[in-house]
Structure formats: C-alpha cells, structure tokens
Amino acid sequence: MRDHRYWMEYALKEAQKAFELGEVPVGAVIVYRDTIIAKGYNQVEMLKDATAHAEMIALSAAFNYFGSWRLEGCTIYVTLEPCPMCAGAIVLSRIEKVVFAAFDFKAGACGSVYNIAEDGNLNHKVEVISGIMAEESQSLLRAFFSNLRK
C-alpha cells in the first residue's frame, strides 16, 4: 500500500488546477483499495455555486463510481481541512478516513475550529489524519492570496 504523501501529491495536483483557474487552490482525491476513484478541485467561482468545494465534487464523483451514497472503506485526501459543510458530507457518506494537509483555523471542521468528523454524538465517526504535506499546501494557498491582493 502507498503512503499518505503519495496520495496527497494527487490532491495537490488537483489544487494546482484550481489555482490556475483563479479558484482557491484546494484539491481532493478519494481512494478505495489503493486506487483513486474520484477527484475534485474548488470550482465555486467557475460554477457560481457555494457548495462546489473540492471535497463535494470528489464525493459526487465517488457516489457515481459506486452507484451508492455509502463510501465505506474509502479515504479522502484533501489539501485543506474540510469546512463544516464538507465535514458533514464526509460523515454522512460513511467515509472511513480523512487525511488533510493544512489546517483551516477560520473554518476547519476536522479538529481546528470544530471537529464534526470525530464527533461521537453523530452516527458515524471518521478517522482524521492531519498535516500531511501541510507546507506544500500552505505555500500554494499563500501564493494564491498574495496574487489576489496585487
């Protein structure tokens, strides 16, 4: 089996696509049995849709792949800590594990501001692993927001 860095590289490639399109550079991939089955990057501005986060796009692709809303046995790799909407969708889809790069100290919902993913009051808990390639993700985000301010 490949390590978390291996899969996060693919999520970073998705984030780079968002960056090149002028979107906040966040990317996600969903892995099942050592294979990427879905991927996504932020498309909020392009689609004019506040829900078009990388995770939501990847989740929709994974639902289509399985023909089901249950993603048991899957791991999602995302370059930025999921927000409350995305963390909720991850929990509802029964994903086994979320691995993210950089913390989001303004809106993160997998350990920084909130912890929806591991909330014992919900009917499913998602294992959370953080900090995988955080510097690479933060660097891309810093470059994006620096360019935006210019």
Side-chain angles (χ1 to χ4, degrees):
M1 285 192 62
R2 297 179 173 102
D3 70 1
H4 295 312
R5 288 183 61 84
Y6 177 86
W7 300 115
M8 191 62 75
E9 288 279 355
Y10 284 95
L12 282 163
K13 288 177 185 175
E14 292 299 306
Q16 185 64 42
K17 291 177 188 177
F19 181 88
E20 291 167 6
L21 293 169
E23 297 278 355
V24 176
V26 178
V29 297
I30 297 177
V31 175
Y32 178 72
R33 294 186 178 169
D34 217 29
T35 301
I36 293 174
I37 60 157
K39 55 189 175 178
Y41 57 87
N42 272 5
Q43 297 178 46
V44 172
E45 298 299 331
M46 187 169 60
L47 298 177
K48 308 292 186 247
D49 180 350
T51 68
H53 290 193
E55 301 95 321
M56 300 299 282
I57 290 167
L59 286 168
S60 290
F63 300 146
N64 287 333
Y65 176 87
F66 284 113
S68 173
W69 59 270
R70 291 180 181 269
L71 302 180
E72 293 159 337
C74 292
T75 298
I76 186 167
Y77 290 84
V78 61
T79 59
L80 184 64
E81 180 182 5
C83 72
M85 172 185 68
C86 294
I90 288 166
V91 169
L92 291 172
S93 69
R94 308 297 196 271
I95 280 195
E96 183 178 312
K97 194 178 304 181
V98 59
V99 180
F100 69 87
F103 279 97
D104 182 348
F105 293 107
K106 292 184 178 178
C110 291
S112 63
V113 180
Y114 308 102
N115 197 347
I116 292 170
E118 296 178 312
D119 188 329
N121 293 312
L122 300 175
N123 65 342
H124 178 71
K125 283 176 66 174
V126 179
E127 180 184 349
V128 175
I129 298 171
S130 60
I132 306 297
M133 301 186 75
E135 184 50 45
E136 293 87 341
S137 176
Q138 290 167 338
S139 177
L140 191 57
L141 287 161
R142 277 193 296 273
F144 174 80
F145 287 110
S146 175
N147 289 344
L148 197 62
R149 286 189 282 281
K150 288 180 185 175

